[in-house]
Amino acid sequence: MASALCALLLLAALAGPICLRLRTSPAFVTGRDGRLSTSTALALAWTVILVWLLLAILGYGLTAGGGVKYFSGSDGPLSTLTTVYLPLLGGPYVALIAAKTVVGLRVERGSLAKPAAPSGRRPLRELIANDSGRTDLVDLQYVTLSTVTMLYVVLFFLADVGAGLPRLPEEIWALTGAPAGAYLVNKMATRANPVITGASLAGDRLTVEGGGFTPDPAGRPPLVTVDDTPLEARPDPLTGALTTTLPPTAKPPLTVVVTSRGLRSDPYCYEGPAVPAQPTASN
């Protein structure tokens, strides 16, 4: 019990500062578009867990374990490191490196749109969502299976810290490797659909912000559809945003879709301008 408590305190000491840093400045786990990167976040989590396991085993071996003899032998506390844990860590890191390469190349070639994320704190939901904010099934399964595997490793280790790295089946790497592979294939297969990140209304002029708003081969600008009504749009050459004039009957909330080169964006719901809070009367 005491060894498990010490291991938990060590985990808190490692993860606590990292979580605080992520809360205030999550830049090192975001992608080139400013959103939280699923592959980076999971690779970081697995790194923290593996470092924690090694430090906890080292501390146990030098105290309650009796010293150097604790680490020797074919069945020592680190005997499964190369057969189980390094392959377990390999899946997330392969996905991280390959995804960054694939996305970077596709953005440079213009076959993928990565609009900048809205400013402000990054919600954890971005780990399982696409650029439009909708839940992505592939990202969801990658995060879910990886989290379950992490809990499996942590709980089995705490159940018997003195045994060293938990004796897990060698096939458990598939719980991170297979989802990581699916995640990478999804990045490669994602089409360059236009992405809406925001909208604003000034009078009857609707401005739609996002990415992938490129003209078709004939030079025609993208089409903005508001509540199933197609409207002509004028692109801003500086910001890339689209501006259109709403019909008199169109009132918020509005469902906005952009069609570019025959590809449609996910629907974006514009609720209208934020209403400032009214001051309360004081006695």
Side-chain angles (χ1 to χ4, degrees):
M1 181 63 70
S3 57
L5 180 59
C6 291
L8 278 176
L9 292 176
L10 177 60
L11 179 59
L14 286 174
I18 295 177
C19 292
L20 290 176
R21 173 66 185 276
L22 291 177
R23 182 177 178 85
T24 58
S25 179
F28 69 100
V29 291
T30 58
R32 62 188 301 166
D33 56 0
R35 294 176 177 82
L36 292 180
S37 169
T38 302
S39 57
T40 304
L42 291 180
L44 174 63
W46 274 113
T47 301
V48 171
I49 288 179
L50 184 58
V51 170
W52 167 65
L53 289 172
L54 295 177
L55 289 178
I57 292 172
L58 176 62
Y60 182 90
L62 297 179
T63 56
V68 178
K69 291 183 179 180
Y70 171 73
F71 298 95
S72 61
S74 58
D75 294 329
L78 302 179
S79 59
T80 58
L81 180 62
T82 57
T83 58
V84 176
Y85 289 89
L86 291 184
L88 196 64
L89 188 66
Y93 267 93
V94 170
L96 167 62
I97 297 171
K100 285 184 177 295
T101 303
V102 168
V103 172
L105 290 175
R106 295 194 62 188
V107 169
E108 291 178 1
R109 295 173 181 174
S111 61
L112 182 65
K114 295 293 287 183
S119 59
R121 289 187 175 180
R122 312 273 25 105
L124 288 177
R125 191 177 182 278
E126 288 184 345
L127 295 176
I128 59 171
N130 58 21
D131 293 341
S132 299
R134 302 182 67 182
T135 300
D136 188 300
L137 182 60
V138 176
D139 289 4
L140 177 61
Q141 59 87 29
Y142 186 24
V143 172
T144 301
L145 289 178
S146 295
T147 302
V148 170
T149 309
M150 291 178 198
L151 288 175
Y152 193 95
V153 172
V154 170
L155 294 178
F156 269 77
F157 177 70
L158 293 176
D160 190 1
V161 175
L165 294 175
R167 298 303 197 267
L168 303 177
E170 294 184 6
E171 296 79 8
I172 198 172
W173 67 267
L175 289 179
T176 58
Y183 173 83
L184 178 57
V185 171
N186 184 52
K187 289 293 183 184
M188 298 172 64
T190 299
R191 298 190 300 172
N193 290 56
V195 177
I196 301 175
T197 59
S200 59
L201 188 63
D204 62 348
R205 296 173 65 86
L206 177 69
T207 301
V208 182
E209 300 174 348
F213 302 159
T214 55
D216 62 14
R220 291 186 294 266
L223 185 69
V224 175
T225 303
V226 179
D227 291 339
D228 297 326
T229 301
L231 304 172
E232 292 186 358
R234 296 175 294 279
D236 187 321
L238 296 178
T239 64
L242 301 176
T243 304
T244 187
T245 302
L246 296 179
T249 56
K251 302 295 180 183
L254 305 171
T255 300
V256 184
V257 174
V258 172
T259 303
S260 174
R261 308 178 317 281
L263 302 174
R264 288 169 56 90
S265 70
D266 289 334
Y268 181 89
C269 184
Y270 173 68
E271 301 289 347
V275 179
Q278 298 295 328
T280 58
S282 57
N283 294 330

